[in-house]
Amino acid sequence: MTDHEIGKDIQKAVTDNAGGGVRGLRAQPSAELFQAVRHYFGLHILEDGTDLGGSDTLNLLVTDIQNRYVVRVYRPYVTEARLSDIQLARQALKVNGVPTSEVILTRNGHQWITFDERLVEVEKYVEKDARMAVYDNLMLGLPVLGQIHTILKEVQFSAAGRSPLFANHIEPQKAIDMTLRGTERIREWKSSNHLRLAEAAEELAHLVFEGEQKLVPMLPRQVVHGDYWDTNVFIRNDRIVLVADFDFMGERARIDDLALTLYFFDCANEPVSKKRLSRLRNLIDAYNEGLSERLSIIERMALPLAIARQPLWSIGGWIALLDDEEAARRHASGMLDEVEFALRIVRELDKWQAAFI
């Protein structure tokens, strides 16, 4: 539900629009935004908010007389139907023991307002004292990811909730075509490094497709979190105290969600060792402990390929879709190392699959 719509513009960044303007620009704080939050949520917040970061939404830490809150301003492409499903997911998780955001209602009992054609929520701020990016904390966080998948599997979502317009994800059957869209743009930049990146990405897309095509139809699909990584998982006193940011939530193979987490943790240019693969196996087993329906052998065989596919959402998604040319170039910087890391997985696939099974 929404309160009144307010026609004030938000100051915006200039480089991260995508899809021919469909994504919209990430919001920036403004006096009008503070005024709207005070009026509709009844909060006496000070006009000195701190941008907490986040690639998709503006997450603004604000303070009133006694409490701290996060004002979350979505991009214009996020519809009421999608936000309703995001809130449905949060609520289902919360009642089943997974800590998610506590949304503050407006004076009229609504869960958000519409401001400058954007949906705005306010939620209670949660403190953290550790990052999930280190191995020991991932061992805490991955059973919770399994629990999240177990819970969300039983929730009925609308098409808007199942299909995000933008996400850190690329479907296996679309990976080659989307990658070629990205590499076509990369080749236009006409440098030797960019040519190497384009060639490596195209090789990766074809090799991953060859490896996945027989496995993918057998993989369980469901709605998943979509971005289960460091900044979205809050740890305090060795406990998960908040799972945040469902912006990329969508339906896909559940191992794709796990693959994204393992990819962010492990995409380093170093030789594959028994210790390294053993640590990844331990993380997979930790995730498995949170599932009601445990990982199948097919899923474990497919998981190295899903990890190897991860850099392709940068190539075929963001690089292909970002409207600003310099933004696309910046996104491409450093991608060659990540694509080459993924190629090494595919070239040593037997070793990775044996370790995971």
Side-chain angles (χ1 to χ4, degrees), residues 160-171:
R162 296 193 304 269
S163 303
L165 291 180
F166 301 94
N168 290 344
H169 179 253
I170 190 168
E171 285 284 358

Side-chain angles (χ1 to χ4, degrees), residues 18-150:
V22 172
R23 189 186 190 204
L25 298 170
R26 185 177 183 270
Q28 295 295 314
S30 70
E32 292 82 3
L33 173 62
F34 283 102
Q35 180 183 356
V37 171
R38 290 192 196 99
H39 177 75
Y40 288 102
F41 290 91
L43 300 177
H44 302 288
I45 60 172
L46 306 175
E47 204 163 309
D48 59 351
T50 301
D51 189 341
L52 298 175
S55 63
D56 214 47
T57 58
L58 168 65
N59 302 293
L60 191 63
L61 175 60
V62 298
T63 305
D64 73 356
I65 298 171
Q66 293 182 321
N67 300 302
R68 289 190 288 178
Y69 303 93
V70 176
V71 177
R72 185 183 298 274
V73 186
Y74 289 86
R75 292 182 188 250
Y77 79 90
V78 178
T79 63
E80 292 190 359
R82 179 154 179 83
L83 182 52
S84 180
D85 271 5
I86 288 172
Q87 293 187 343
L88 177 64
R90 291 191 201 130
Q91 184 60 27
L93 294 173
K94 186 182 292 290
V95 299
N96 284 282
V98 177
T100 57
S101 305
E102 184 176 343
V103 174
I104 304 301
L105 299 181
T106 69
R107 294 176 187 268
N108 294 335
H110 298 158
Q111 293 178 308
W112 63 74
I113 63 172
T114 302
F115 173 84
D116 191 29
E117 300 183 347
R118 300 164 182 265
L119 304 178
V120 180
E121 296 176 301
V122 177
E123 60 192 48
K124 288 188 176 180
Y125 176 70
V126 176
E127 289 277 4
K128 62 180 177 180
D129 61 18
R131 300 181 58 188
M132 197 182 70
V134 298
Y135 176 77
D136 288 346
N137 288 341
L138 275 167
M139 289 294 289
L140 289 175
L142 280 171
V144 177
L145 180 60
Q147 186 182 359
I148 289 170
H149 289 174
T150 295

Side-chain angles (χ1 to χ4, degrees), residues 135 138-139 142-143 258 262-263 265-266 272-289 294-297 299-301 303-304 307 350-357:
Y135 176 77
L138 275 167
M139 289 294 289
L142 280 171
L258 173 61
L262 297 178
Y263 167 71
F265 173 67
D266 193 56
V272 177
S273 65
K274 288 185 178 179
K275 179 180 179 181
R276 178 180 171 191
L277 290 176
S278 177
R279 282 159 63 92
L280 288 172
R281 167 63 184 259
N282 290 341
L283 294 173
I284 294 164
D285 290 344
Y287 162 77
N288 200 40
E289 289 300 312
R294 300 302 173 89
L295 287 168
S296 67
I297 292 177
E299 287 179 291
R300 288 178 179 270
M301 289 179 63
L303 186 53
I307 296 171
D350 290 348
K351 183 186 297 186
W352 284 73
Q353 288 178 328
F356 288 4
I357 294 172

